[in-house]
Amino acid sequence: MTDEERQQLLDLIKQAKEGKQYAFTQLYNRYHRIIYNTIYNIVHNKDVTDDLVSVTFTKAFFKIASYVNHISFEMWLKTIAINTVSYTHLRAHETVLDLV
């Protein structure tokens, strides 16, 4: 990532923290495919992946104020995605498996 691209990203994050919808949309467009692939590689189901991507970005945008620059934004989103998968999807399936 070039310095200019990094600055553009930091500007988008700042704007998103200020509640600007345009910035949220740009961040979503920029990272949707990466987060989709991260989740799909875990759950191997397109419908479930679509749902979990939506939950991931919803959580991320509600928690955007907690993002700090010491980790990459992509890694921050991936962490939310993996936690979403483990808490939302895998635990729900564990409960179902426990009943069988």
Side-chain angles (χ1 to χ4, degrees):
M1 178 180 295
T2 67
D3 288 341
E4 183 178 334
E5 291 169 330
R6 179 162 171 68
Q7 188 57 51
Q8 288 173 346
L9 175 60
L10 293 174
D11 290 343
L12 282 175
I13 293 167
K14 180 179 181 256
Q15 292 169 12
K17 285 181 175 185
E18 294 168 354
K20 297 191 173 139
Q21 184 61 44
Y22 172 80
F24 286 125
T25 301
Q26 290 299 309
L27 290 168
Y28 176 86
N29 290 340
R30 189 176 202 163
Y31 290 101
H32 174 267
R33 181 59 45 198
I34 292 166
I35 298 307
Y36 181 94
N37 290 337
T38 298
I39 293 172
Y40 185 81
N41 286 332
I42 298 169
V43 300
H44 305 288
N45 180 301
K46 290 180 180 182
D47 293 331
V48 172
T49 299
D50 287 336
D51 291 342
L52 293 173
V53 166
S54 179
V55 171
T56 296
F57 277 98
T58 300
K59 285 182 179 183
F61 293 137
F62 276 112
K63 295 179 180 232
I64 191 118
S66 70
Y67 172 73
V68 290
N69 296 345
H70 70 275
I71 63 169
S72 74
F73 190 73
E74 179 180 329
M75 185 55 63
W76 184 74
L77 283 174
K78 284 182 177 181
T79 300
I80 294 171
I82 292 166
N83 288 339
T84 297
V85 170
S86 67
Y87 292 120
T88 303
H89 179 70
L90 297 178
R91 289 187 186 210
H93 282 78
E94 280 179 12
T95 303
V96 171
L97 293 175
D98 288 343
L99 297 173
V100 177

